Amino acid sequence: MSSDLEHSSRLAGQAVVNDYDSFAEAYAAETESNLINGYYTRPAMLDLAGEVAGRRILDVGCGAGPLLAALRDRGAIVTGLEPSAKMLDLARQRLGDGTALHQGGLGADPLPFPDAAFDDAVACLVLHYLEDWKAPLAQLRRVLVPGGRLIVAVNHPFVYRLIRPEGDYFATERWSDEYTFNGQAAVLTYWHRPLHAITNEFTAAGFRIAVVSEPPPAPGAREAFPDLVTSPSGSFLCFLFFVLEAS
C-alpha cells in the first residue's frame, strides 16, 4: 500500500510501526488518483485480474477499498480484509453495508474464512510488510479453490539496491522510508527479499507462477504527471506483479 515517489531512506534497524490508523484519511486521499496507485498499481492489478464477473474475490489489505470497489463494479463478489480500523471505516463508507469487510491481516493466525472460499485473492502492496511469508501464503492457498488465483504486487526487489546501495540485496532485510501523504508525514517499514526468494516462497506454498509483470503506467499517466513519468524515478515505477495459480 505504499505511495509517493518522494521518500528518504531510513536505517534498516529503526523501530517503526506501520500505523495506518494515524494517517488513514491522508493516505486514502493521496492514493485515490495519484501516479503510483491511481495510474499504476491499481490499473495493473485490474488488468491482471481480467474478467471477474461472478468470481469470489478476497482483497487482503484492502485499505479504503478503491481496488475492491473497482472489482465489484466489474461484477465480482468481493470480500475485504484490513488490519487498520480507520481504513476499514473508510472502506465501509465507500462500499456500503452490503460488502463483506473484516478487520484482520496476514500473519500467523488463520484467516477467518473456510477452505476454498474464494476463486481469487488480491494482495496489492501488502506482502512486503511481512518478514515471514510462509504462514500467510499457506492461508491464502487454503482459502482459494484449486486453480484459484493469487494476484500480487510487491516492491520490486531491485529498488532496494537503488534506495539502499549499502544493503545486501541477497538477504531478507528490514528497511524504512519516510513519506508524505496529502501533507501528512508517515513512516513505513518493509522487508526486502531478493527475486529468487520471492519466487521460492510462492512455489513452496503450492502456487504455480503463471505471470510475472513489469507493466507501464496506465494511459493518461504521462498527461497527468508529465514530470514524474519522464524522470528517472518515475520511469521505473518500483513494483513487481505476479499472477499465481493454486495447485
Side-chain angles (χ1 to χ4, degrees), residues 16-63:
V16 178
V17 176
N18 297 315
D19 183 13
Y20 273 91
D21 278 346
S22 66
F23 53 87
E25 291 186 0
Y27 180 88
E30 173 77 20
T31 59
E32 186 69 26
S33 58
N34 65 345
L35 175 63
I36 289 296
N37 302 84
Y39 284 86
Y40 191 53
T41 56
R42 198 177 308 134
M45 294 291 283
L46 291 170
D47 286 346
L48 290 171
E51 176 57 55
V52 296
R55 295 183 71 84
R56 300 166 298 164
I57 301 181
L58 171 65
D59 184 350
V60 294
C62 67

Side-chain angles (χ1 to χ4, degrees), residues 183-202:
Q184 183 174 345
V187 174
L188 297 178
T189 297
Y190 310 103
W191 285 92
H192 160 78
R193 48 184 27 90
L195 179 58
H196 72 270
I198 291 174
T199 57
N200 287 348
E201 294 270 16
F202 292 149

